[in-house]
């Protein structure tokens, strides 16, 4: 067993004690006052830190754009300062990589490739400058963290430690689940994962426990020393208090411990004194089959339905949508399957005369922005598989490989690189064997090949292949026996394309349902089917109860109590209301529905009776944790598209104006993602927003309020070091603009702290900001 490795503590807060101006890019201090930077690093080395984070947190091309300095120059100088500090101590130097400060698509404009290239530039410069490892920290977007890990792993030989910032709910600001973060980051090659910044140690234990339950990697912890006093800026936890609160956390397999905002060399010294002889706890993680999106983990612990409808085969309308780039139609297929009970979505966009790799990336991006369900990337083209996996921010399933050595060698390295699970088809160069025995042999070869590529057993699923019973009646029995033996003898989960059984037969639904039932009894747990077929879903729900698990019995009773199990009429087409289309984020269809409503209703009635109630329902689901920020923003943008169309039909005198709100990120804070999201949601509800930007001095906020007669101000901060600036802004607005209300928001804030600063309201998220605006401006 190895001892715990100690990381350094807060750097930005130490720089402030050195008198650095708020809002100044801290990395520039390495050029202006290198001795001061080196002195802070040396203080942490003397306090017992084994790893020092170089002052490169903001040394990316976006944040250096207007400084006149290159990434290579800044990284080289900063690594040099840290190396000077650790010389002779044995401590290591980490290239520190922070978030870029812009949202990635589909929430923002930054593409995966752009994000990746920015991080690649930093990583290459860091290794060349002599960094011993790469520390990616303070990430709120799993897609951004994942891009940084891939950039590091594909362009350097350095180990990578990744920590994200979570709220007390166990999710990031963008809704990423701690368990999903652990799974995805391990999958793309991180060497350690964990949590930094956030709140104090007493608030982060549940999220760290969830991480430890979903990864075999060492855990890293670098938390804040509570919150700063609004007036003095001093943080609430003393060194001894901070160290004591780490005790329960270190019962987890934590291998790296340090501090973030508000922690000082004294905090690190107290932590090391307390835990110097503590060994890292062993992680007795039980291997389990599971997949995930950024926001949802699906355990393969019972029958899980894979929706089959995102596939152009035999679907002319779907093929048309692919050719025309009609993403809304494709997303609607995913939404319909999710609503019907699918838990994983198969995604196949392969057809002649299309760029399948590019199309796969586009569809995956759209689906993961609109839905929480994990995806199954389905293609016979390795380039399309890699394109989809590279874009996908989750742990996907690859559909598929077979027993051919050529296919295994082409696809399995891709599966391993992106941490995916894989389906193995029981066929090879000789076709599909007729006997169960031969299919089992191929399954064994696929398993052996996957293990040889480093893919764990629990991530290998076997498709024993369903053949149509009208042509080969005896093959149904062989398939069912193969399913049974793969589960019993190889211990692998199985999947089948169930509806293949009934091709060419009458009453296909009946045949499909009975075959599905028999297959689930044999051990099938990943059926690929149409979840909109109620008879098939009824069979799944009943099988879950009969196969065990009280929670499934409760689900069954809740779903079927007082209901008659009537089949869905053949060929029936679901018609969604405008409100439903807004809730699902289907932009083109929502505009079309709004245009249709204009034939019978006045535009203001549509806005008041359809659009605003739909946004309110989405907001309630968001507050209940049933939806997350990407869906909230997607719904708001969908409503905005319909609203723009309706506004054109309004007489000038009727154009709605709900009021004006001033928003700003406070002085010293250059992170404006939260403020930008708040602006988007407010505007989509119909408010005019005066956006003052980021790093805004208190006087500029007060002047804007006074000049425009504004009655509500929204202030945002991400960095705890800038909370005193927030308090000063609140006080100045109240002093100079009596009657104006101020609400404060930010991942590091609490309701109590907002009130302590003198704020009139605390907004835990963008939706609550809208609720405050309604109360203040609209009574």
């Amino acid at each position: 067993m190895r001892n715990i490795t100690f990381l350094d503590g807060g750097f930005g807060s130490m720089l402030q004690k050195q008198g650095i101006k708020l809002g100044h890019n801290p990395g520039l201090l390495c050029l202006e006052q290198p001795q001061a930077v080196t002195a802070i690093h040396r203080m942490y080395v003397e306090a017992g830190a084994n790893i020092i984070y170089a002052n490169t947190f903001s040394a990316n091309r976006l944040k250096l754009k207007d400084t006149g300095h290159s990434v290579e120059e800044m990284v080289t100088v900063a690594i040099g300062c840290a190396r000077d500090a650790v010389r002779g101590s044995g401590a290591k130097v980490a290239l520190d990589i922070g978030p870029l400060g812009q949202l990635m698509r589909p929430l923002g404009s930054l593409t995966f490739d752009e994000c990746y290239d920015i991080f690649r530039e930093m990583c290459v410069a860091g290794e060349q400058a002599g960094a011993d490892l790469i520390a990616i920290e303070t990430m709120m977007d799993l897609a951004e963290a994942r891009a940084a890990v891939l950039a590091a792993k594909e362009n350097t030989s350095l180990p990578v430690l990744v920590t994200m910032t979570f709220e007390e709910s166990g999710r990031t600001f963008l809704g990423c689940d701690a368990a999903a973060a652990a799974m995805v980051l391990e999958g793309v090659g991180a060497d350690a994962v964990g949590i930094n910044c956030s709140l104090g140690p007493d608030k982060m234990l549940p999220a760290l426990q969830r991480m430890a339950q979903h990864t075999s990697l060492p855990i890293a912890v670098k938390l804040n020393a509570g919150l700063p006093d609004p007036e003095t800026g001093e943080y609430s936890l003393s060194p001894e208090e901070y160290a004591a609160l780490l005790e329960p956390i270190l019962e987890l397999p934590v291998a790296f411990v340090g501090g973030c905002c508000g922690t000082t060399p004294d905090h690190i010294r107290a932590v090391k004194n307390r835990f110097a002889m503590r060994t890292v706890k062993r992680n007795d993680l039980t291997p389990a089959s599971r997949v995930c999106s950024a926001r949802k983990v699906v355990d393969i612990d019972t029958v899980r339905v894979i929706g089959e409808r995102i596939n152009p085969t035999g679907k002319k309308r779907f093929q048309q949508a692919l050719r025309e780039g009609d993403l809304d139609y494709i997303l609607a297929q995913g939404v319909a399957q999710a609503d019907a009970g699918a838990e994983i979505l198969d995604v196949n966009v392969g057809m002649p005369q299309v760029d399948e790799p590019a199309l796969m990336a586009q569809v995956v991006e759209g689906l993961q922005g609109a839905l929480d369900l994990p995806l199954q990337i389905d293609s016979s083209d390795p380039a399309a598989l890699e394109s989809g996996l590279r874009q996908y921010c989750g742990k996907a399933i690859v559909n598929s490989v077979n027993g051919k050595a050529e296919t295994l060698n082409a696809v399995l390295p891709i599966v391993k690189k992106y941490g995916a699970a894989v389906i193995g088809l029981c066929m090879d160069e000789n076709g599909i064997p007729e006997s169960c025995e031969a299919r089992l042999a191929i399954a064994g070869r696929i398993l052996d090949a996957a293990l040889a590529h480093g893919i764990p057993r629990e991530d290998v699923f076997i498709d024993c292949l369903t053949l149509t019973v009208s042509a080969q009646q005896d093959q149904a029995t062989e398939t069912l026996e193969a399913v049974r033996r793969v589960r019993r003898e190889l211990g692998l989960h199985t999947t089948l394309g169930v509806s293949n059984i009934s091709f060419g037969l009458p009453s296909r639904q009946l045949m499909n349902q009975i075959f599905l039932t028999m297959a689930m009894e044999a051990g099938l747990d990943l059926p690929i089917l149409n979840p909109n077929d109620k008879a098939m879903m009824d069979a799944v729900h009943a099988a879950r109860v009969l196969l065990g698990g009280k929670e499934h019995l409760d689900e069954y009773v809740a779903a079927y109590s007082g209901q008659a199990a009537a089949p869905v009429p053949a060929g029936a087409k679901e018609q969604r209301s405008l409100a439903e289309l807004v809730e699902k984020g289907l932009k083109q269809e929502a505009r079309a529905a709004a245009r249709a409503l204009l034939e019978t209703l006045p535009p203001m009635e549509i806005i008041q009776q359809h659009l605003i109630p739909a946004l309110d329902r989405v907001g309630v689901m968001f507050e209940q944790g049933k939806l997350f920020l990407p869906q909230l923003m997607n719904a708001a943008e969908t409503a905005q598209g319909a609203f723009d169309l309706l506004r054109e039909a309004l007489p000038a005198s009727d154009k709605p104006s709900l009021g004006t709100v001033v928003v700003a990120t406070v002085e010293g804070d250059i992170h404006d993602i939260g403020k930008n999201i708040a602006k988007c949601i407010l505007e989509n509800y119909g408010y005019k927003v005066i956006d003052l930007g980021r790093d805004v001095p208190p006087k500029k906020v007060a002047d804007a309020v006074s000049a425009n007669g504004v009655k509500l101000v929204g202030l945002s901060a991400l960095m705890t070091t800038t909370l005193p600036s927030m308090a000063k802004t609140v006080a100045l607005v109240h002093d100079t603009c009596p009657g104006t209300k101020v609400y404060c928001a930010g991942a590091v804030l609490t309701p109590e702290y907002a009130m302590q600063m003198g704020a009139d309201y605390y907004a835990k998220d963008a939706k609550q900001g809208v609720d405050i605006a309604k109360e203040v401006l609209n009574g």
Side-chain angles (χ1 to χ4, degrees):
M1 299 296 288
R2 63 170 178 159
N3 287 350
I4 290 170
T5 298
F6 296 94
L7 308 174
D8 63 8
F11 194 78
S13 47
M14 290 293 291
L15 287 177
Q16 282 195 345
K17 291 185 177 182
Q18 301 285 326
I20 186 172
K21 181 184 180 297
L22 289 170
H24 190 62
N25 188 320
L28 298 180
L29 201 65
C30 294
L31 296 171
E32 299 161 358
Q33 300 180 52
Q35 299 88 350
V37 173
T38 300
I40 294 172
H41 289 324
R42 188 172 292 121
M43 290 168 66
Y44 279 117
V45 173
E46 292 169 353
N50 306 119
I51 295 176
I52 297 298
Y53 283 33
N55 186 24
T56 54
F57 183 87
S58 299
N60 63 71
R61 73 174 74 138
L62 296 181
K63 294 183 178 178
L64 293 174
K65 183 178 179 181
D66 298 322
T67 66
H69 299 286
S70 70
V71 170
E72 183 178 6
E73 176 191 12
M74 293 301 303
V75 167
T76 301
V77 171
I79 295 291
C81 288
R83 296 222 68 86
D84 287 344
V86 304
R87 188 169 289 114
S89 68
K92 304 296 184 183
V93 171
L95 171 74
D96 187 14
I97 295 179
L100 300 179
Q102 294 186 18
L103 287 171
M104 291 180 65
R105 290 173 53 178
L107 294 180
S109 60
L110 196 64
T111 68
F112 173 87
D113 289 341
E114 289 169 338
C115 188
Y116 172 91
D117 194 58
I118 293 168
F119 289 130
R120 177 203 58 77
E121 185 178 27
M122 290 185 72
C123 293
V124 170
E127 184 171 44
Q128 291 176 347
D132 299 300
L133 69 153
I134 294 172
I136 300 163
E137 64 164 332
T138 323
M139 292 288 177
M140 296 180 290
D141 185 351
L142 181 57
E144 185 177 6
R146 183 175 172 275
V149 175
L150 286 170
K153 286 294 180 179
E154 292 177 357
N155 296 281
T156 79
S157 59
L158 301 179
V160 179
L161 186 156
V162 193
T163 53
M164 296 188 67
T165 296
F166 292 88
E167 297 177 356
E168 196 170 354
S169 64
R171 292 184 179 273
T172 70
F173 176 62
L174 294 179
C176 170
D177 177 53
M183 290 170 58
V184 171
L185 294 172
E186 179 174 11
V188 292
D191 297 286
V193 296
I195 298 178
N196 82 288
C197 202
S198 307
L199 301 170
D202 53 325
K203 306 291 187 182
M204 287 294 104
L205 179 59
L208 286 162
Q209 288 172 328
R210 188 154 169 76
M211 274 192 146
Q213 292 162 0
H214 289 80
T215 180
S216 61
L217 294 179
I219 301 294
V221 177
K222 215 171 187 278
L223 301 173
N224 291 350
L227 289 171
D229 183 276
E231 296 182 2
T232 67
E234 293 297 321
Y235 282 74
S236 56
L237 295 179
S238 70
E240 291 72 24
E241 290 169 332
Y242 180 79
L245 288 173
L246 288 172
E247 276 285 359
I249 289 176
L250 292 188
E251 292 302 312
L252 302 173
V254 173
F256 302 90
V257 181
C260 200
C261 299
T263 60
T264 66
D266 287 339
H267 286 79
I268 300 307
R269 186 174 290 106
V271 170
K272 181 144 191 183
N273 288 342
R274 191 178 187 109
F275 302 114
M277 302 308 295
R278 185 74 61 91
T279 56
V280 178
K281 300 287 184 180
R282 201 171 101 186
N283 190 347
D284 295 319
L285 185 69
T286 302
S289 297
R290 48 174 66 105
V291 292
C292 71
S293 67
R295 301 182 293 274
K296 185 179 182 68
V297 175
V298 173
D299 287 287
I300 316 300
D301 55 358
T302 187
V303 179
R304 301 295 184 187
V305 173
I306 301 175
E308 68 180 6
R309 301 296 295 168
I310 302 178
N311 190 315
T313 305
K315 304 185 185 82
K316 291 183 179 179
R317 178 65 185 91
F318 196 101
Q319 293 170 7
Q320 179 187 353
L322 288 177
R323 290 194 184 97
E324 296 175 354
D326 184 358
L327 190 59
D328 250 29
Y329 179 83
I330 299 168
L331 296 184
Q333 305 305 305
V335 167
Q337 292 183 93
D339 288 348
E343 291 150 300
I344 300 165
L345 294 180
D346 186 84
V347 183
N348 185 312
V349 297
M351 54 183 278
Q353 299 176 334
V354 299
D355 183 346
E356 188 181 353
L359 199 53
M360 180 67 83
Q362 180 186 1
V363 171
V364 166
E365 180 185 279
L367 285 169
Q368 69 181 356
L371 295 166
D372 288 337
L373 300 187
L375 301 183
Q376 177 167 285
I377 311 300
D378 183 356
S379 177
S380 59
D381 180 0
L385 290 174
E386 177 149 25
S387 179
L389 289 172
R390 195 167 184 82
Q391 187 68 48
Y392 185 52
C393 183
K395 179 179 178 180
I397 303 173
V398 166
N399 188 12
S400 55
V401 296
N402 57 48
K404 295 180 184 178
E406 177 185 359
T407 302
L408 293 168
N409 291 333
V411 175
L412 290 181
I414 300 172
V415 174
K416 172 60 178 175
K417 177 179 178 179
Y418 295 100
V422 64
I423 290 174
L425 306 181
C426 291
M427 59 182 292
D428 57 17
E429 57 273 7
N430 299 313
I432 303 173
E434 293 187 358
S435 72
C436 161
E437 198 71 43
R439 293 186 205 181
L440 186 67
I442 293 175
R445 293 207 310 269
I446 292 171
L447 174 61
D448 289 343
L451 294 173
H453 280 84
I455 300 167
R457 174 183 291 268
E458 60 269 19
D459 286 344
V460 180
F461 310 144
I462 297 298
D463 187 341
C464 295
L465 298 172
T466 306
L467 301 179
T468 178
V469 73
S470 62
Q472 296 170 286
Q473 188 173 350
D474 62 321
Q475 286 303 297
T477 302
E478 292 296 328
T479 295
L480 293 173
E481 182 60 21
V483 169
R484 187 172 285 108
R485 291 187 62 184
V486 166
R487 286 291 286 143
R488 184 177 66 237
E489 298 176 27
L490 299 182
L492 302 181
H493 294 288
T494 59
T495 184
L496 287 173
V498 178
S499 61
N500 295 344
I501 196 72
S502 63
F503 284 145
L505 292 176
S507 299
R508 289 192 63 190
Q509 187 181 69
L510 175 62
M511 182 63 69
N512 292 343
Q513 185 186 42
I514 299 304
F515 179 69
L516 171 63
T517 303
M518 296 175 70
M520 289 188 292
E521 188 281 328
L524 173 68
D525 40 22
L526 288 168
I528 302 174
L529 51 82
N530 178 5
N532 300 107
D533 186 331
K534 189 174 184 301
M536 299 294 275
M537 294 303 292
D538 288 345
V540 169
H541 293 144
R544 285 174 175 167
V545 175
L546 298 176
L547 293 171
K550 184 181 184 304
E551 70 276 13
H552 303 306
L553 177 60
D554 294 340
E555 291 169 1
Y556 183 88
V557 171
Y560 292 96
S561 181
Q563 293 186 19
V568 177
K573 183 177 179 181
E574 183 181 10
Q575 296 293 328
R576 296 183 186 272
S577 68
L578 174 58
E580 290 174 315
L581 293 169
V582 168
E583 291 172 23
K584 301 300 181 183
L586 299 174
K587 299 178 179 63
Q588 294 178 25
E589 293 186 32
R591 283 179 64 89
R595 188 177 294 110
L597 284 173
L598 278 173
E599 296 177 6
T600 57
L601 296 174
M604 185 56 73
E605 184 176 336
I606 299 172
I607 291 170
Q608 293 176 341
Q609 301 300 321
H610 294 266
L611 285 182
I612 297 300
L615 283 174
D616 286 341
R617 282 194 293 275
V618 171
V620 169
M621 289 188 283
F622 174 74
E623 290 170 347
Q624 293 173 341
K626 296 177 181 178
L627 294 179
F628 301 101
L629 187 60
Q631 290 106 319
L632 176 65
M633 290 189 66
N634 201 23
E637 290 170 2
T638 303
Q640 183 66 52
F643 182 81
D644 289 344
L645 183 146
L646 295 169
R647 185 162 48 189
E648 293 172 3
L650 284 168
S653 60
D654 289 345
K655 293 190 187 296
S657 177
L658 298 180
T660 303
V661 184
V662 166
V663 298
T665 301
V666 300
E667 185 174 32
D669 204 320
I670 58 175
H671 303 87
D672 59 357
I673 288 177
K675 182 265 298 174
N676 291 341
I677 291 170
K679 175 187 176 184
C680 172
I681 301 298
L682 284 164
E683 287 179 336
N684 285 311
Y685 264 86
Y687 293 95
K688 178 183 176 182
V689 178
I690 299 174
D691 182 2
L692 300 181
R694 58 189 181 183
D695 187 21
V696 182
K699 187 175 185 303
K700 185 175 179 179
V701 176
D703 289 347
V705 171
S706 179
N708 293 279
V710 174
K711 295 301 180 184
L712 181 63
V713 176
L715 299 177
S716 173
L718 175 66
M719 301 164 60
T720 57
T721 52
T722 61
L723 293 182
S725 293
M726 181 177 274
K728 291 176 184 176
T729 306
V730 171
L732 186 60
V733 169
H734 283 158
D735 288 345
T736 59
C737 308
T740 296
K741 303 297 183 182
V742 181
Y743 75 87
C744 294
V748 296
L749 272 179
T750 64
E752 297 77 16
Y753 196 80
M755 296 303 104
Q756 188 180 344
M757 288 192 296
D760 299 288
Y761 298 92
Y762 161 76
K764 67 178 180 179
D765 51 51
K767 171 56 175 60
Q768 200 163 60
V770 171
D771 294 339
I772 294 166
K774 288 180 180 179
E775 178 179 335
V776 173
L777 301 178
N778 312 118

